């Protein structure tokens, strides 16, 4: 009986999200209307990350961030809110102002722990104000997020494209690959969106790198009401 109960609980927990054994697709988990389901799972992942465990799934953290209500692939507004709160904390003249500022900053950092741009700002700001957290924690997050991106594919085809969930991940990916880009284009294949980069290899031969940007582009479309392909360049400036 005890084994049956444990099995049932496992099935319920697995049913709360997609299987992590398979690469997710838009059709099986890209559903913003179910954020209520992902938010507690995301909070649990962030809580687990606090101790910087060796065996931590950044895949899971990114997965539930994408599904949750805080997902922002651009990251501009969270960064503005974080910087403003950090400044208010430094200039606070009474305990109430300080508490409110730190609470806002910590909430932004928590809600966007899988957003590379916010994490990078958190690392910078925490170096001047330790009340925002430990710089080494944000450095650990940054490293883990980008390791997940770099291991997500090899970019040689749409099937093996690098997967990104924020625009900052894509910028950092391209910087790390250190490739000479001659042309870029956003293309659609069925329900997936790819940023395709024509590059020149160090030996002078041309090649193409594919980045699967379905999730950030689709979210941008939802946020702006505009189609992803023509306008995505606006967010790369």
């Amino acid at each position: 009986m005890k084994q049956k109960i444990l099995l049932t609980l496992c099935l319920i927990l697995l049913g709360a999200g997609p299987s992590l054994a398979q690469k997710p697709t838009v059709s099986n988990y890209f559903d913003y209307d179910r954020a209520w389901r992902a938010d507690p799972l995301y909070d649990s992942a962030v809580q687990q990350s606090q101790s910087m465990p060796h065996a931590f799934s950044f895949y899971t953290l990114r997965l539930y961030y994408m599904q949750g209500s805080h997902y922002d692939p651009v990251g501009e507004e969270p960064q503005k809110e974080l910087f403003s709160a950090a400044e208010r904390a430094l200039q606070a003249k009474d305990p109430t102002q300080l508490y409110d500022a730190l609470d806002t900053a910590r909430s932004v950092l928590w809600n966007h722990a899988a957003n590379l741009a916010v994490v990078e700002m958190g690392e910078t700001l925490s170096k001047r104000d330790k009340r925002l957290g430990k710089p080494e924690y944000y450095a650990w997050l940054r490293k883990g997020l980008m390791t997940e991106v770099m291991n997500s594919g090899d970019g040689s085809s749409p099937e093996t494209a690098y997967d990104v969930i924020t625009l900052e991940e894509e910028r950092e990916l391209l910087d790390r690959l250190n490739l000479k880009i001659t042309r870029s284009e956003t293309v659609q294949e069925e329900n997936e969106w790819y940023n395709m980069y024509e590059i020149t290899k160090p030996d002078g031969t041309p090649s193409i790198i594919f980045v699967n940007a379905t999730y950030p582009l689709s979210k941008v479309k939802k946020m702006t009401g505009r189609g992803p392909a023509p306008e995505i360049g606006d967010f790369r400036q």
Side-chain angles (χ1 to χ4, degrees):
M1 176 64 71
K2 189 174 182 180
Q3 290 179 334
K4 289 183 178 180
I5 293 174
L6 289 173
L7 178 59
T8 301
L9 288 173
C10 289
L11 290 173
I12 291 173
L13 289 172
L14 289 173
S19 170
L20 298 182
Q22 298 178 344
K23 185 176 180 179
T25 63
V26 174
S27 60
N28 71 7
Y29 83 100
F30 196 55
D31 186 352
Y32 299 112
D33 295 329
R34 296 189 178 182
W36 61 270
R37 200 176 182 182
D39 282 347
L41 296 171
Y42 169 78
D43 287 340
S44 177
V46 177
Q47 183 63 51
Q48 292 173 24
S49 76
Q50 299 300 300
S51 62
M52 296 182 285
H54 177 70
F56 180 77
S57 174
F58 284 92
Y59 177 84
T60 301
L61 180 67
R62 293 167 79 240
L63 174 69
Y64 291 126
Y65 178 60
M66 282 189 294
Q67 288 182 309
S69 60
H70 305 298
Y71 180 44
D72 184 345
V74 181
E76 183 177 351
E77 291 306 316
Q79 288 182 86
K80 288 180 180 178
E81 186 178 10
L82 173 58
F83 184 79
S84 175
E87 288 296 303
R88 294 200 310 275
L90 289 175
Q91 300 169 13
K93 299 187 182 302
D94 63 67
T96 300
Q97 291 179 345
L98 177 61
Y99 175 84
D100 289 343
L102 289 177
D103 184 61
T104 297
R106 290 165 180 167
S107 293
V108 173
L109 289 165
W110 180 284
N111 293 338
H112 299 278
N115 187 305
L116 184 62
V118 176
V119 169
E120 289 172 339
M121 178 172 282
E123 182 179 2
T124 299
L125 294 176
S126 65
K127 289 178 180 178
R128 72 173 187 179
D129 190 344
K130 296 297 178 13
R131 294 172 298 183
L132 298 178
K134 298 179 180 178
E136 54 266 32
Y137 168 68
Y138 299 112
W140 175 80
L141 277 178
R142 173 172 51 79
K143 179 180 178 181
L145 293 172
M146 280 311 301
T147 297
E148 190 67 34
V149 173
M150 299 300 291
N151 292 340
S152 64
D154 60 18
S156 61
S157 69
E159 293 74 23
T160 61
Y162 292 104
D163 287 319
V164 298
I165 67 168
T166 65
L167 303 187
E168 183 62 23
E169 284 186 351
E170 185 167 1
R171 293 189 188 98
E172 180 66 19
L173 169 68
L174 296 175
D175 285 345
R176 293 193 180 198
L177 293 177
N178 194 26
L179 302 169
K180 182 180 179 181
I181 299 173
T182 56
R183 192 173 76 90
S184 64
E185 181 182 358
T186 301
V187 296
Q188 183 179 17
E189 182 173 304
E190 297 181 352
N191 293 324
E192 304 285 324
W193 289 93
Y194 299 91
N195 287 328
M196 182 179 70
Y197 296 92
E198 294 182 4
I199 63 170
T200 301
K201 293 182 177 181
D203 62 4
T205 59
S207 186
I208 295 177
I209 290 291
F210 290 91
V211 178
N212 188 329
T214 300
Y215 311 113
L217 295 190
S218 297
K219 180 62 172 180
V220 165
K221 179 180 179 181
K222 186 177 180 68
M223 292 165 62
T224 64
R226 300 180 298 179
E231 291 85 9
I232 188 59
D234 297 344
F235 295 90
R236 289 217 192 106
Q237 301 303 320

